[in-house]
Amino acid sequence: MKQFDEELAPDACLVTQLLRAQFPQLADHDVRPSQASGSSNFVFRVGEEWAVRLPRTDGYTADLLTEARWLPHLAPHLTVPVPEVLFLARPSGLFPRPWSIVRWIPGEPPERLDRGAQARLATSLGRFMRQLHRLDACDLDLDPHQWGYRAGEPVTEVIDRWADTAAEGLRDLFDPRQVKEAWRRLRRVPPASGPPCWIHTDLSSENLLVSGDGNLLGVLDFGGLSIGDRSVDLLYAWSMFDQEAREVVRRKAEADEATWLRARAWAFVGPGLLTIHDYRDCMPARTATLTAMVQAVAAEVGVSLR
């Protein structure tokens, strides 16, 4: 058997071989690459109903296994479609990591939404968050070290260091003194106002599917699913929505003042400044979106970053 070459991206021929070896029921369907492939997984459509997801590196295997473990328990309690895992495959010589087959969810990522579409997405996304955050997590380990840093606090010594690093590294984009002043004001956050709950941790536009008029049709990529403070799920409100729609998602998610201030702090450094710093050369579109986001966040505390 030919061994998988880590230097090469998998192709449709390899995926067909994988299906024949472990899930032959789908091996005769048309297999083709999907534009939905992201930074974590290679994605291939299988017919019209299914997709194969293959982790790009060993580091993303845990995310795939998290989805396979928990989504069957959560999905029945959510009214928005989420990935249905049909099959979890074993590593093999053809592909050295576990991979999965999921049901395909139709829709498109939200891009350039008008005011009405923003309001509809904010309404449906806020309701989805409220449903997810209300699901029972009482019997699970609440230690943030078990779940990852986004299950912890939005202000830590580590995040302070990230802010300083990004401020210096982005001095051609922003005044580093203004970046540090904005973070000084933003980092003064209250304690979490509620108990730890189920959180998605990455509700960015890349992980949402919408209809043409902005209604939420699906939520993807639950690899970062965790137990923690719900504020982290609201952080992308500053990248997707104008001020009016942000108030809609806040209201529909039932986010109080403490949760909102913590979400704003989350938005500024990790997904904001640090992502711009690390990916500005290879992800220009995302960089532009996040640049606008951190400027909007800083403006709310009276700081211009330029």
Side-chain angles (χ1 to χ4, degrees), residues 18 22 58 61 65 88-99:
L18 290 169
Q22 295 198 48
D58 290 344
T61 298
L65 297 177
L88 182 64
R90 305 180 305 275
S92 68
L94 286 171
F95 190 76
R97 293 179 282 276
W99 51 276

Side-chain angles (χ1 to χ4, degrees), residues 4-11 14 42 44 56:
F4 179 71
D5 186 346
E6 290 281 4
E7 298 298 318
L8 300 175
D11 58 17
L14 173 64
F42 301 103
F44 290 80
R56 288 181 177 269

Side-chain angles (χ1 to χ4, degrees), residues 18-35:
L18 290 169
L19 291 171
R20 285 192 179 127
Q22 295 198 48
F23 203 81
Q25 300 94 310
L26 295 182
D28 292 330
H29 288 264
D30 178 49
V31 175
R32 59 207 182 275
S34 169
Q35 294 182 347

Side-chain angles (χ1 to χ4, degrees), residues 79 135 146 185 190-191 222 255:
T79 55
L135 296 183
Q146 153 97 14
R185 300 181 188 188
F222 282 75

Side-chain angles (χ1 to χ4, degrees), residues 42-56:
F42 301 103
V43 181
F44 290 80
R45 295 287 303 272
V46 180
E48 297 304 316
E49 294 187 43
W50 303 101
V52 165
R53 302 174 74 231
L54 304 105
R56 288 181 177 269

Side-chain angles (χ1 to χ4, degrees), residues 126-267:
R127 288 172 176 164
F128 169 81
M129 291 184 201
R130 189 173 71 237
Q131 285 183 333
L132 178 64
H133 298 161
R134 287 178 172 178
L135 296 183
D136 184 16
C138 295
D139 296 331
L140 297 169
D141 188 347
L142 304 182
D143 181 0
H145 299 293
Q146 153 97 14
W147 297 99
Y149 89 92
R150 286 195 184 182
E153 286 294 307
V155 179
T156 65
E157 291 182 1
V158 171
I159 295 175
D160 284 340
R161 290 196 295 272
W162 290 351
D164 286 340
T165 297
E168 296 301 327
L170 297 173
R171 57 173 53 247
D172 60 317
L173 283 180
F174 308 127
D175 183 335
R177 294 170 299 180
Q178 295 296 90
V179 171
K180 292 175 182 179
E181 175 60 21
W183 180 237
R184 186 186 69 81
R185 300 181 188 188
L186 289 163
R187 72 184 304 282
R188 296 196 292 259
V189 297
S193 59
C197 61
W198 282 110
I199 49 177
H200 181 284
T201 75
D202 192 13
L203 289 174
S204 63
S205 59
E206 292 89 345
N207 292 328
L208 306 180
L209 296 171
V210 300
S211 62
D213 61 1
N215 280 305
L216 186 63
L217 297 179
V219 177
L220 308 177
D221 196 356
F222 282 75
L225 187 72
S226 303
I227 304 293
D229 178 37
R230 60 189 176 136
S231 62
V232 73
D233 279 345
L234 287 149
L235 71 88
Y236 286 107
W238 283 268
S239 72
M240 289 189 287
F241 301 125
D242 60 23
Q243 184 173 359
E244 184 177 341
R246 283 199 294 272
E247 287 302 317
V248 173
V249 75
R250 175 181 178 176
R251 184 171 66 254
K252 295 300 181 180
E254 298 183 352
D256 57 18
E257 183 72 4
T259 301
W260 195 245
L261 293 178
R262 290 166 65 85
R264 192 172 66 179
W266 272 119

